[in-house]
Amino acid sequence: DFFVWGQSNPTIKNCIFWGNRKGVEVSSIEGNTATVSYSDVEGGYPGTGNINQDPLFANAADPNGPDNLFSTTDDGLALQNFSPAINSSNPTTSLPINDITNRIRIGIFDMGAYEFSTCATLASGLWNDPMIWSCGHVPTATDDVIISNANTIVIPAGIFSVHSITLNGTIIYDPGSNLEMVPL
């Protein structure tokens, strides 16, 4: 919940307000208002780029995750695959380059504190084609990769680095290609 009070008229960008027990995500008194943009606000809120869709948190009932520490990659408020908040923030934003878990934000950032880090295959194709990945970009050393649904991924010449990989499909290596696993 975000409450505007007193003499403030805050500007809010690239945030998620969802699941408040009171049912009102952004509210104000005394005529003050918040300018909200590129944010996911349950119940909706006027502003450029705002959405009103379930952000698909990993586990909102356990916000700090199984390790009971906030700002780690297992946090329950991290985004799940196909969240509408992925790649939905202001495309010209100048947010910090890392998210709350220190994962690098790339391309169009995700709404909220957590940058989505799992890239799953949507189709068979070349590894370096961003259109075959659910994350909308070619996986990098901070991404976990899932090759699923019997998809066949061809790794062309070059070096590609990822954090981890789950393989339910097929990887074909072209001559001169290399897939590296990089610890975070």
Side-chain angles (χ1 to χ4, degrees):
D1 182 38
F2 189 86
F3 187 73
V4 181
W5 185 61
Q7 300 297 315
S8 63
N9 291 299
T11 299
I12 302 166
K13 300 176 183 178
N14 304 320
C15 293
I16 298 174
F17 297 99
W18 201 271
N20 181 2
R21 291 179 297 246
K22 296 178 184 178
V24 177
E25 300 301 324
V26 179
S27 56
S28 62
I29 62 170
E30 300 176 4
N32 298 320
T33 59
T35 301
V36 180
S37 63
Y38 294 97
S39 295
D40 190 357
V41 182
E42 186 174 14
Y45 198 87
T48 302
N50 291 338
I51 60 174
N52 174 20
Q53 297 176 24
D54 184 341
L56 301 178
F57 290 131
N59 184 359
D62 187 12
N64 60 358
D67 67 3
N68 294 318
L69 297 171
F70 279 106
S71 303
T72 59
T73 57
D74 74 342
D75 289 358
L77 298 179
L79 303 174
Q80 290 186 69
N81 202 10
F82 302 109
S83 166
I86 295 172
N87 298 328
S88 295
S89 71
N90 185 335
T92 62
T93 192
S94 58
L95 286 173
I97 194 152
N98 294 3
D99 75 354
I100 196 169
T101 69
N102 206 32
R103 286 193 184 266
I104 297 171
R105 293 183 184 262
I106 58 173
I108 298 175
F109 301 157
D110 301 339
M111 292 176 178
Y114 299 87
E115 188 71 6
F116 184 69
S117 64
T118 301
C119 286
T121 54
L122 299 172
S124 293
L126 288 176
W127 180 279
N128 58 351
D129 178 359
M131 300 303 292
I132 69 165
W133 300 104
S134 64
C135 54
H137 64 267
V138 176
T140 66
T142 61
D143 290 311
D144 297 316
V145 171
I146 300 171
I147 298 177
S148 59
N149 301 322
N151 287 328
T152 299
I153 303 303
V154 178
I155 301 179
I159 298 173
F160 299 91
S161 301
V162 295
H163 174 248
S164 70
I165 191 164
T166 302
L167 182 61
N168 294 324
T170 304
I171 295 178
I172 298 173
Y173 291 87
D174 278 353
S177 66
N178 187 13
L179 180 61
E180 297 180 330
M181 305 303 280
V182 179
L184 290 180

